[in-house]
Amino acid sequence: MYNRLPLLSLTVFLCACSSTKPKPMTLPIAKDIHSFSNPQQIAVRHADLDLSVIFDQKTLQGTAVLWLDRTDPRARQLVLDTRDLQIDETETSHDNSKWREAPFHFGKSDKILGRALAIDLPADARFVRIRYSTDPSASGLQWLSPAQTAGKQHPFLFSQSEPIAARSWIPLQDSPGVRMTYSAHIKTPAELTAVMSAEHDAASKGDFRFHMNEPIPPYLIAISVGDLAFQETGKRTGVYAEPSVVAKAAKEFEDTEKMIEAAERLFGPYRWGRYDLLVLPPSFPFGGMENPRLTFATPTVLAGDKSLVSLVAHELAHSWSGNLVTNATWRDFWLNEGFTVYIERRIQEEVYGRAREGMEAALGRQELEHEMAGLDPKDQVLHIDLAGRDPDDGMTLVPYEKGALLLRQIEETFGRERFDKYLRGYFDRFAFQSITTAHALAYMHENLFAEAPELAAKIPLDQWVNQPGLPPGAPDPKSDAFGKVQAQASAWVKGTVHAAQLQTAGWTTQEWLHFLRSLPDKLSAKQMAELDAAFHFTASGNDEILQQWLVMSVRNGYAAADEKLGDFLLTVGRRKYIKPLYEELVKTPAGKQRAASIYERARPGYHPMAQTTIDGILR
Ligand code: BES
Ligand code: ZN
């Protein structure tokens, strides 16, 4: 592929300044098809927010002051991204103190991208101030009624900006290639607490201030407001959650400091100060979101036995891959997620041992193959073409698990010692920068492959990055424990042993998952009932196992799980869980009807992004 890449060598980005050692320069901001903005001419470098959180009207209302870097002095228009924002007034200033009104214009509205907001700038303007409010349907915010919370007394708000929803609550240059610092003044109802992906300054009742002094991409700006309690879990770690959830969460996540230490040993210092987790109500549409200093997490990982904390390892790993070194565009998403899954597994191995890591890696490859079988070949490539598409379309397991397998192959080929040193150098070289696939690959060529061409020759990099499927010889992580699980599953399917007689003592969540996934798609009513009687899957308190069981129950018309399925779909909004359930339901006419009737009640409680996904299935 190297002859097909634009001739891009990183030496281009080394300035031959007077000093002896060339100093790496900041990379130019990449062109991003998912943003209307013009950061190549005028870049937003800092945002200062002053917002009131108004629950009755489901709106954020206030001002954003944007600090500008005018690299092209001839450019007279600042172009920002917005989506469903009401803009009341725009002003400009040369000193952030004296303001004058400036004309603004909206571009044509696009279903995926929202619309451009162009502000005319006088030659000396260095700041713009925008007075605005968000729409109740803002795609990046979810407003929860008290009934949707654990405490049932207070409303709740949280944001989810990745990939392109920051523009629905802040007018800014919403591209991951644009990095900015931010500060915020947030006013809330007196009884509630506001948290953000930032350091908090002194707060008083209903009045909170934050600042983030490291330059981050806009998709990492985050806010949540609710009845929140805090519990410390380590010297730089802790959990925020509703009061009735916080103790359970602190117990579940008590190993977080160990995870940070493991990651630091491998890949260099944690550069963000504190690492806290915010456990959200169950409508949170993702497993986790790596908002800097404050990971947002679904309560469905609170299994009570730490069996699902790979999610913390994952979001923490983003403190290196993603938040420190960021994908410059959504085409390059595998640089965020593939590297992160690789690091997540390394952390899991350090903290919980090789056996646990081996099971998770094996499950990962199985899930990847399963999903890839149903994907268009063009969506099976790491460097995916998203022209004209929603970046959400690229968010399959391909960037995650295929990306991680590529890194695993490089590790196995070059050896851990060499690869770890390489990765550490990569994070140092590109710290606080946004890079494209071409940058990452050029760096790999110069700093790893060039030193050992005979090893590099074993890695079909072009095939990995630009071709569908998995190259022959892709790593195939194996787990000894899974061999035994498989044997039990086969014995039961053959009918030689009753479920209650299977040897399942001491099985972990991962082994149970593998067991369920090893069973044939079609099971009889009698077989489903036998499994349930022996193992109580319908009553499982582990949402990962329960969800897998519910999919099987729908597929096999197992009516005893019907009520549980309804409850699950009406409370849990995690997209990875509900999407396969609705997909399975709509396969039969009766199921379709049921799906429609459940969804009619469940939809108002789902996040806008989850609504869009499920609308697509039931349409
Ligand atoms: N950054 C992602 C979440 C995300 C991706 C949000 C794309 C919006 C668009 C996060 O790090 C993630 O990957 N979460 C996973 C869990 C993880 C353990 C694989 C999820 O939410 O399922
Ligand atoms: Zn991730």
Side-chain angles (χ1 to χ4, degrees):
M1 85 172 279
Y2 286 90
N3 39 12
R4 282 201 276 127
L5 269 178
L7 266 185
L8 173 72
S9 162
L10 286 166
T11 46
V12 174
F13 301 109
L14 298 176
C15 82
C17 331
S18 51
S19 71
T20 46
K21 223 170 144 204
K23 190 166 152 272
M25 270 185 6
T26 310
L27 305 173
I29 298 175
K31 177 91 200 95
D32 178 2
I33 58 168
H34 292 113
S35 172
F36 291 114
S37 67
N38 62 340
Q40 292 81 4
Q41 299 172 306
I42 305 171
V44 173
R45 290 298 180 204
H46 178 80
D48 187 13
L49 308 175
D50 193 332
L51 297 172
S52 296
V53 183
I54 304 167
F55 279 97
D56 304 343
Q57 297 167 43
K58 297 188 179 174
T59 181
L60 299 179
Q61 213 167 72
T63 57
V65 174
L66 307 179
W67 302 22
L68 309 178
D69 182 5
R70 300 187 66 170
T71 45
D72 179 351
R74 291 159 311 174
R76 283 299 145 80
Q77 227 180 27
L78 171 69
V79 187
L80 304 173
D81 294 295
T82 71
R83 183 184 191 99
D84 302 323
L85 286 183
Q86 182 182 313
I87 305 294
D88 296 318
E89 184 182 26
T90 58
E91 298 161 289
T92 65
S93 169
H94 67 279
D95 60 358
N96 199 7
S97 139
K98 287 191 288 299
W99 296 94
R100 51 183 163 158
E101 196 163 345
F104 67 87
H105 326 267
F106 275 121
K108 191 161 123 255
S109 180
D110 179 275
K111 223 168 90 243
I112 298 167
L113 304 178
R115 55 181 177 162
L117 169 65
I119 301 170
D120 297 341
L121 302 180
D124 67 346
R126 288 284 174 282
F127 302 87
V128 304
R129 181 162 69 188
I130 303 159
R131 200 153 56 75
Y132 73 101
S133 55
T134 65
D135 192 85
S137 71
S139 61
L141 299 175
Q142 192 178 7
W143 298 88
L144 302 182
S145 66
Q148 289 177 276
T149 66
K152 314 282 178 214
Q153 300 300 311
H154 301 281
F156 200 102
L157 165 71
F158 65 84
S159 68
Q160 168 57 43
S161 298
E162 191 182 20
I164 55 169
R167 64 190 67 177
S168 74
W169 66 284
I170 313 172
L172 37 62
Q173 295 179 321
D174 195 8
S175 167
V178 176
R179 305 189 78 95
M180 52 201 261
T181 54
Y182 80 90
S183 49
H185 177 207
I186 306 293
K187 284 185 248 102
T188 71
E191 63 282 11
L192 302 184
T193 299
V195 290
M196 292 191 85
S197 55
E199 206 171 329
H200 55 253
D201 305 322
S204 58
K205 262 196 189 330
D207 191 299
F208 301 84
R209 285 173 197 275
F210 304 90
H211 65 273
M212 166 50 73
N213 287 345
E214 312 298 347
I216 59 167
Y219 76 84
L220 293 177
I221 304 179
I223 187 170
S224 181
V225 178
D227 179 17
L228 292 174
F230 176 76
Q231 191 170 322
E232 199 174 276
T233 57
K235 62 181 194 298
R236 54 182 160 172
T237 61
V239 236
Y240 291 90
E242 286 189 69
S244 66
V245 178
V246 75
K248 182 173 191 195
K251 186 83 189 93
E252 200 83 25
F253 299 145
E254 68 186 358
D255 296 335
T256 306
E257 174 61 32
K258 277 190 221 152
M259 290 182 176
I260 303 179
E261 285 163 12
E264 288 187 308
R265 278 196 303 279
L266 295 169
F267 306 115
Y270 177 75
R271 288 158 155 105
W272 304 90
R274 291 193 59 82
Y275 180 82
D276 294 318
L277 284 138
L278 168 67
V279 178
L280 294 152
S283 71
F284 185 59
F286 294 101
M289 178 63 213
E290 66 271 26
N291 298 129
R293 294 176 64 95
L294 184 63
T295 282
F296 284 20
T298 169
T300 61
V301 294
L302 303 177
D305 60 1
K306 304 188 205 172
S307 64
L308 302 177
V309 296
S310 63
L311 180 123
V312 177
H314 179 96
E315 305 313 335
L316 171 65
H318 275 305
S319 306
W320 287 263
S321 44
N323 300 2
L324 195 57
V325 179
T326 306
N327 53 210
T329 76
W330 298 113
R331 273 201 96 161
D332 309 305
F333 187 56
W334 75 279
L335 297 180
N336 276 18
E337 298 300 342
F339 279 63
T340 291
V341 171
Y342 173 80
I343 295 175
E344 164 200 332
R345 302 258 158 83
R346 295 294 303 275
I347 294 172
Q348 288 294 94
E349 180 181 333
E350 292 288 314
V351 179
Y352 300 107
R354 253 189 111 74
R356 168 86 167 261
E357 184 279 337
M359 290 192 274
E360 292 180 347
L363 288 171
R365 171 151 179 167
Q366 285 165 15
E367 288 171 53
L368 171 65
E369 285 181 26
H370 185 254
E371 181 174 24
M372 217 153 52
L375 287 179
D376 205 300
K378 70 180 193 317
D379 292 339
Q380 300 176 15
V381 304
L382 291 177
H383 195 218
I384 187 174
D385 183 1
L386 290 170
R389 306 175 70 189
D390 191 323
D392 207 44
D393 292 356
M395 282 147 196
T396 66
L397 286 174
V398 171
Y400 287 78
E401 295 291 345
K402 182 177 173 181
L405 287 174
L406 163 57
L407 297 193
R408 190 171 171 128
Q409 184 176 64
I410 300 172
E411 178 214 292
E412 287 171 357
T413 307
F414 283 81
R416 265 204 178 170
E417 203 180 322
R418 207 158 172 177
F419 188 54
D420 287 356
K421 195 162 149 263
Y422 167 77
L423 275 183
R424 202 181 168 125
Y426 167 84
F427 292 128
D428 286 341
R429 166 62 183 89
F430 296 115
F432 299 110
Q433 300 202 47
S434 299
I435 67 172
T436 62
T437 296
H439 292 130
L441 297 184
Y443 185 81
M444 191 176 281
H445 267 270
E446 289 179 22
N447 295 280
L448 190 65
F449 286 14
E451 292 167 12
E454 71 294 352
L455 297 178
K458 298 183 180 175
I459 296 161
L461 201 51
D462 173 59
Q463 222 180 323
W464 275 107
V465 175
N466 296 307
Q467 307 295 326
L470 290 175
D476 192 5
K478 288 281 176 254
S479 152
D480 296 342
F482 280 5
K484 295 182 189 139
V485 170
Q486 199 110 29
Q488 296 299 305
S490 310
W492 181 73
V493 171
K494 273 200 230 104
T496 47
V497 252
H498 192 275
Q501 259 82 60
L502 292 175
Q503 285 157 37
T504 62
W507 276 8
T508 61
T509 295
Q510 285 69 32
E511 285 158 304
W512 283 114
L513 285 171
H514 186 63
F515 175 75
L516 291 175
R517 289 174 193 169
S518 299
L519 300 176
D521 278 355
K522 285 282 163 223
L523 293 171
S524 68
K526 189 170 153 280
Q527 283 176 309
M528 290 295 290
E530 182 184 328
L531 287 174
D532 211 6
F535 307 123
H536 313 292
F537 291 125
T538 305
S540 175
N542 184 305
D543 283 343
E544 191 84 16
I545 294 174
L546 177 62
Q547 190 268 356
Q548 178 67 46
W549 176 250
L550 292 175
V551 170
M552 293 168 59
S553 298
V554 174
R555 189 186 292 142
N556 292 297
Y558 180 56
D562 279 359
E563 197 184 319
K564 194 70 184 216
L565 173 73
D567 290 350
F568 191 87
L569 290 173
L570 280 163
T571 47
V572 177
R574 185 175 177 184
R575 199 165 61 165
K576 177 185 146 195
Y577 285 171
I578 62 175
K579 179 171 177 256
L581 286 167
Y582 283 106
E583 282 171 342
E584 201 60 57
L585 277 166
V586 299
K587 285 181 184 167
T588 65
K592 207 169 181 158
Q593 233 171 39
R594 224 171 125 225
S597 106
I598 295 173
Y599 187 47
E600 194 183 297
R601 283 187 296 152
R603 191 178 188 280
Y606 290 164
H607 186 277
M609 288 173 84
Q611 290 178 347
T612 305
T613 302
I614 309 303
D615 287 352
I617 297 170
L618 290 188
R619 157 201 60 203

